[in-house]
Each structure stands twice: as structure tokens, then as C-alpha cells.
Amino acid sequence: AVLFRETIEHAYGKKKRKRKINYFSGLITTIISAVPSNALFFITYNCILIYAPCLVPFPASFSTSSKLLERLIASAIATFPQNLIKIPAELVKQRAQLTQSSDIPRIVADAVKDKGISGLYVGGNAQLLREIPYNAFQMAFFDMFRDMAARYHLAQNPNIVSNLMSDSLSAALLGLLAASF
């Protein structure tokens, strides 16, 4: 057994030191990028909803379905500017976790060194394929649940507390629905 162990150690080098794994590598970039990317999403989303009826008027008979369609389209479009920030942050986070490095400027420099600024967007198409349907589903149904909660339960006394309750209930329902997928 000793001879076998020594042979293995010789073939693969000395016993490797166990390094401490940092499961939170890249968390800072995620937190730093979340605020501006989500702000950009909501600004774009709300602007589209404000101006969408002017750009694409739907017939009055399609009021409920057109509202849902407007929200789906608005959230799908708003995903693009959001991901201008989110894709590079996700790339940095994943590389930090993979290499167990916390040297963010070095990770960014390595990504840009070979492919220029487009090196920060490697894998962006895959992320967009995930984010567009997720955001469209999330925002369309969140708004729908919020409208239903406000209409049926909280419409008698609208105030800040009822709005927060409506939004919280909507987020909880959406969380249940999204977790099932």
C-alpha cells in the first residue's frame, strides 16, 4: 500500500495542499452590477410601457391581452440594455469563482486582452436566451398579479401599505410560479 501511494504521489506530484475554497468569489461584482443593471431594466421597461400605446395602438377589444402583450414585449426589450452591464459582471463573477481569484481588475484585463471589449461579452448570447424569457415572464405576471390584488382585495382603501401588500403578494405568487419551472 505504501509503494502504491508513493507511486501515485510521484506520478501526480506531491500531495496537493487543500486550498480553502471561497464560495463567495465574484459576489461583489454581482452586487455592484445589480443596482445599475436593474435600474436600467426598470427605466427602459417603464418608458416602453408609457410610450407603447402611442407607438402600437391595440384595438379596444384586446385590452386585457394587449396589456399582457405590451408587458411581455417591454420586458423583452428592456432585457437588452440591462445585459450590457449584467453580462460582463456575470463573466467576471464566473471567472472569479473558477479561478478562486478576487483580483477583479486582473480578470477584466485578461478578458479584454485577447478579444478587446467584446471579450467581456463572451457567452452573452446564452445569457440573453435565458434572460429574455425569464424577464418577460416575470414582469408580465408580476404586473398582472399586482393588478389583480389591487383590484380585488386592496382597492377599497388604496394607500402605501396596501400597495406594499399588493406588491408583496404579487412577488410571492410569482416566486411560487417561477420556482415550479
Side-chain angles (χ1 to χ4, degrees):
V2 173
L3 181 61
F4 178 72
R5 188 182 74 226
E6 288 175 359
T7 306
I8 296 296
E9 286 177 5
H10 179 69
Y12 292 104
K14 296 290 179 192
K15 289 183 182 177
K16 293 184 179 179
R17 283 185 320 166
K18 289 187 177 182
R19 46 178 201 184
K20 187 178 176 184
I21 297 174
N22 184 0
Y23 294 105
F24 298 103
S25 293
L27 181 63
I28 297 297
T29 57
T30 302
I31 292 170
I32 290 171
S33 71
V35 173
S37 67
N38 288 331
L40 198 52
F41 174 85
F42 282 105
I43 289 168
T44 307
Y45 177 77
N46 288 326
C47 285
I48 291 170
L49 287 182
I50 290 169
Y51 297 112
C54 301
L55 300 173
V56 183
F58 287 101
S61 61
F62 294 114
S63 62
T64 304
S65 60
S66 69
K67 200 170 192 180
L68 181 63
L69 184 61
E70 284 176 356
R71 291 172 178 167
L72 286 169
I73 293 169
S75 58
I77 294 170
T79 301
F80 287 99
Q82 174 194 31
N83 278 280
L84 288 174
I85 298 169
K86 203 171 183 180
I87 290 171
E90 185 71 19
L91 179 111
V92 169
K93 179 194 80 149
Q94 289 174 359
R95 290 191 180 173
Q97 289 171 339
L98 183 67
T99 62
Q100 292 294 307
S101 172
S102 59
D103 189 6
I104 294 170
R106 178 75 178 152
I107 294 170
V108 171
D110 287 345
V112 172
K113 181 174 61 174
D114 293 333
K115 296 184 180 179
I117 198 78
S118 65
L120 293 171
Y121 293 91
V122 170
N125 291 338
Q127 186 167 340
L128 282 172
L129 287 174
R130 179 189 73 206
E131 292 287 324
I132 290 171
Y134 178 78
N135 283 346
F137 171 81
Q138 181 180 10
M139 290 309 298
F141 284 95
F142 174 76
D143 283 345
M144 185 180 75
F145 288 147
R146 186 175 57 183
D147 291 349
M148 286 171 42
R151 191 175 329 121
Y152 293 114
H153 297 288
L154 306 168
Q156 294 85 9
N157 189 13
N159 57 33
I160 188 121
V161 174
S162 65
N163 287 341
L164 287 173
M165 289 175 56
S166 172
D167 288 355
S168 299
L169 178 64
S170 301
L173 286 172
L174 181 61
L176 286 172
L177 204 63
S180 65
F181 292 101

